[in-house]
Amino acid sequence: MPDIIGEYIDRLVTVEMRNRGMNHNIIAPIYEEARREGGGRPISARAAEALVKKVGAGDVVLIVTGAGYGPEAPWGESDGPPGAAALARAIYWGLKAVPVFVTEVCHAPPMVASSEAAHLMIRDFDLAKNRRMGAAIETAPEEQDAIEAWASRLLDKTAPKAIISIERLGPNENGIVHYSTGVAPKGCVNIAPLFDQAAERGILSIGVGDNGNEIGFGRIHSFMQDFHPYGRETQTDKPGGAITVTPTDIFLPASISNWGAYGIAAMLAFLLKDKDLVQTPELEKRIVTACLDSGGWEMRYCTNRFIVDGAEGESGMAIVQLLRDMVRVNIAEPDRGLSHGKMKQTAGAKS
């Protein structure tokens, strides 16, 4: 049954809605390659099962996000923090674990606002860890040469059981971070060493991305080099493409990264038999609006309109409603209603 619902969750979160001026008609082929490379099973099912297996009550899960920089979007974008908050909410209430968000300094305000809009308050790490009173947040140094040591200290301090990237930009083969359009933003730091060190320590890692430049895409780097329009060269004069080389243990491409996070939350909700681990449409609107109002703007025109990656906010609300209903009908007791007679007992019905 997990593979059945995982199949349809994956289909839903990979429905592409993208303006033809951007890289388009890409999500289905990327998803199929990621699924093939990962062994063939639905990816949301694999991700949620791994979290259930690895993460227990009181354990720490790092959730890393952050894309978008000044001058266009100085506090980041509306894709990333809402997905991080929604998945953190499911992990907090479903697995009874402690989410710790990891961002750059510039991305912290939208992340805090998104989490608190999801009713997951940001607290001091010791209070969150020792009394499970909400989530915590850690910000990366603003100088690249401090990242390696910071990553080591953070992993020592938090001892996470898992680390999840949602719309977090990663470096190409030459260590340069790009937008998916081949532009290299200024003022960002590469925090992929955190994932490199997590891998060395055997910490479960999961990546969610939507266009090749986000952490996780390293699993299918060679495919993306040939498939993506900026796979081998960019709009800069530097060598290399826009595709990140940083992999994760499990990687889920989605139409919008927030939606991929919602899909993993829905799969957790199914495994844990609690549809309310997926936010309601009303709560989705509250989270995204809080992100926008705190500076996490939509990236098409860099405004605070109710938009995420070009899709109207109501589309995200519809996605979470469909996910909630998908979970609800699949965790309910078998019931044919009053007009369809008795259920025929088959091997499929019993499983």
Side-chain angles (χ1 to χ4, degrees):
M1 192 64 194
D3 278 12
I4 295 173
I5 189 169
E7 179 76 37
Y8 295 104
I9 287 174
D10 284 12
R11 288 192 192 185
L12 184 58
V13 302
T14 53
V15 172
E16 183 171 306
M17 289 187 284
R18 189 163 296 194
N19 184 278
R20 288 174 296 167
M22 299 293 287
N23 308 332
H24 65 285
N25 194 28
I26 64 170
I27 296 301
I30 291 172
Y31 170 81
E32 290 302 327
E33 175 61 17
R35 180 163 170 170
R36 182 204 63 77
E37 190 277 339
R41 293 185 60 216
I43 303 172
S44 61
R46 292 175 52 226
E49 287 172 348
L51 287 170
V52 170
K53 181 178 179 180
K54 291 284 188 178
V55 178
D59 289 337
V60 169
V61 177
L62 300 182
I63 303 180
V64 187
T65 193
Y69 296 89
E72 300 86 4
W75 298 281
E77 60 174 283
S78 57
D79 191 20
L87 185 52
R89 177 180 175 275
I91 288 169
Y92 179 82
W93 292 111
L95 298 177
K96 306 296 187 284
V98 180
V100 177
F101 301 111
V102 182
T103 74
E104 290 180 69
V105 172
C106 61
H107 298 138
M111 186 65 260
V112 171
S114 298
S115 184
E116 295 192 343
H119 308 297
L120 192 58
M121 309 310 289
I122 300 297
R123 311 301 294 268
D124 176 80
F125 173 72
D126 289 337
L127 193 59
K129 169 63 177 171
N130 297 326
R131 297 181 63 186
R132 214 177 70 84
M133 295 184 73
I137 189 166
E138 299 281 345
T139 55
E142 298 181 81
E143 300 297 330
Q144 188 63 49
D145 59 8
I147 292 294
E148 289 279 357
W150 163 79
S152 180
R153 291 194 303 272
L154 180 60
L155 293 175
D156 287 344
K157 172 183 174 179
T158 60
K161 295 294 185 178
I163 180 170
I164 304 170
S165 173
I166 301 168
E167 187 71 6
R168 174 61 211 182
L169 307 187
N172 72 354
E173 57 268 39
N174 295 302
I176 303 171
V177 173
H178 292 85
Y179 292 144
S180 63
T181 52
V183 175
K186 297 179 180 180
C188 64
V189 293
N190 167 23
I191 61 175
L194 183 61
F195 285 82
D196 299 335
Q197 293 187 29
E200 292 171 1
R201 300 185 187 210
I203 298 167
L204 170 69
S205 62
I206 297 169
V208 178
D210 58 30
N211 214 339
N213 58 328
E214 301 95 354
I215 287 173
F217 268 100
R219 289 202 70 92
I220 56 172
H221 181 261
S222 60
F223 168 84
M224 292 297 295
Q225 279 187 305
D226 294 325
F227 179 78
H228 196 279
Y230 295 104
R232 294 190 179 273
E233 59 183 20
T234 68
Q235 295 192 54
T236 74
D237 59 359
K238 300 293 193 299
I243 308 305
T244 185
V245 296
T246 304
T248 50
D249 294 328
I250 300 169
F251 172 60
L252 174 61
S255 180
I256 294 172
S257 294
N258 284 348
W259 296 4
Y262 302 163
I264 297 173
M267 197 67 216
L268 282 173
F270 170 76
L271 294 174
L272 301 173
K273 309 304 180 194
D274 182 0
K275 78 176 191 305
D276 288 327
L277 297 183
V278 183
Q279 71 271 31
T280 63
E282 293 76 16
L283 186 54
E284 163 69 1
K285 183 174 184 178
R286 173 187 167 102
I287 294 168
V288 173
T289 299
C291 179
L292 292 162
D293 287 348
S294 64
W297 297 337
E298 56 90 10
M299 278 296 287
R300 182 58 53 83
Y301 301 107
C302 301
T303 74
N304 65 348
R305 295 184 304 169
F306 188 45
I307 292 176
V308 180
D309 270 11
E312 293 181 352
E314 288 83 0
S315 295
M317 294 169 67
I319 289 289
V320 298
Q321 176 58 45
L322 289 168
L323 288 170
R324 280 176 61 88
D325 217 28
M326 195 183 300
V327 173
R328 179 188 63 82
V329 298
N330 281 283
I331 64 177
E333 290 296 321
D335 181 3
R336 292 169 67 93
L338 299 177
S339 59
H340 298 290
K342 294 181 179 180
M343 180 183 295
K344 182 178 180 180
Q345 292 298 311
T346 65
K350 294 176 182 176
S351 63

